[in-house]
Amino acid sequence: MSQKQSLDTICIQGGWQPKNGEPRVLPIYQSTTFKYETSEQMGRLFDLEEDGYFYTRLANPTNDAVAAKICALEGGVAAMLTSSGQAANMYAVLNICSAGDHIVSAATIYGGTSNLFTVTLKRFGIECTLVDPDAPEDELEKAFQPNTRAVFGETIANPALVVLDIEKFARLAHKHGVPLIVDNTFATPINCRPFEWGADIVTHSTTKYMDGHAMCVGGCIVDSGNFDWDAHADKFPGLTTPDDSYHGVIYTQRFGKGAYITKATAQLMRDMGSIQSPQNAFLLNIGLETLHLRMPRHCENAMKVASYLKSREDVAWVNYPGLEGDKYHELAEKYMPNGTCGVISFGLTGGRAAAGVFMDKLKLAAIVTHVADARTSVLHPASHTHRQLSDEQLVEAGVDPSLIRLSVGIEDADDIIADIEQALR
């Protein structure tokens, strides 16, 4: 797919270019295995000496086509699908970190990712330092250690809606010879392309806006191809020294800019198996075909709803980066001038206790453990997604205990507002 094509065209036609007589629509390759005529050819596939498919846990044509579409949307060089956004973030870190290593992460990230980094990866021997993303660079410098191997942040934090200063974090990461990993789930490449601001690796929970219909869980990792692993070879031996499990292949030498994703597939997916099913990848592709149409509507509706909430005396506060006067409006204008996302966070004057009562009164908006699909939904993170965090940890993560996360859908904005109004009343 030509790099000159617009994101709109890539959403529709990226990834799958059928040849003469082939299906116009991406097929579901619903097979675990693929047949070959000779043992020698199968051996070359297992030695990474030849491209091809032999087992869906490692690669599948449907998955590869969808990964290629997301890769083109982000402007990367290689991508892989995973079974969930959590798996994508785990693989993105584990691909370059091992026991004894350290990562720096913005504190204002999704609660599940925070738990992954600070609890689960700690059991793997990987330490994580959480930092205030708004802190000045000299303060953030203190978080780096000699064994730091990556920096992580979210374009728009879930659910705090903190906008990451991508250039600042990229500058710090590169100063210390490590890549910046950015979770671009909420903004999507329609509204922000982190590689253009210095990020090296992008992750997605495709479960959200990319799928767009709450049909299937999934994730994706995209590599920009811009980080020079060999220039910092001592930090990343998994990429720059021989891999004994593949007869001593050195990924950076054999695969060049494709080294990072090849290693993630050949090692991590081989051993851990968090593959996205071809059926889910097929459904994800259908969602991607309308991503460029849905995102502007999500943003337009969210702006109307946020403005309405701001006008209410019984609403204590509203966070939405698209609003003028919002703390992150200036950063949003810089990185996402065409819109941010459809998610709003706000609190009621009645505080934490009022949140549950309000949500129970909603009729059009549904209380669900989900966000960023066509239907308007609502959640109280302190009671649900971030339930494992104390009030102190909630505040550190940028989540006020009273915070209500409203994911504005693509229904009629007046109907959404009417539902909110009757619930508040």
Side-chain angles (χ1 to χ4, degrees), residues 1 3 6-7 9-17 26 61-85 88 182-185 187-190 192-196 201-212 216-224 261 276 280-289 291 294:
M1 183 65 70
Q3 291 297 310
S6 72
L7 297 183
T9 300
I10 294 170
C11 279
I12 302 293
Q13 298 216 16
W16 173 249
Q17 284 86 50
L26 173 67
T62 306
N63 291 26
D64 279 2
V66 180
K69 176 177 285 190
I70 296 172
C71 185
L73 288 170
E74 285 288 5
V77 298
M80 67 181 287
L81 298 186
T82 60
S83 57
S84 67
V182 173
D183 184 327
N184 196 30
T185 295
T188 81
I190 300 302
C192 183
R193 284 159 51 105
F195 293 155
E196 295 175 358
I201 296 152
V202 159
T203 61
H204 284 279
S205 170
T206 61
T207 317
K208 310 303 190 297
Y209 288 119
M210 284 188 165
D211 171 292
C216 44
V217 175
C220 186
I221 308 172
V222 187
D223 181 18
S224 68
I261 293 296
Q276 188 168 147
N280 277 10
F282 174 83
L283 293 171
L284 167 58
N285 189 57
I286 294 173
L288 287 168
E289 288 181 354
L291 182 64
R294 290 183 286 104

Side-chain angles (χ1 to χ4, degrees), residues 41-50 54-55 58 245-247:
Q41 188 174 16
M42 182 70 84
R44 288 198 299 272
L45 292 168
F46 273 97
D47 283 344
L48 306 180
E49 291 176 354
E50 191 173 307
F54 52 94
Y55 197 57
L58 283 150
S245 67
Y246 283 108
H247 306 297

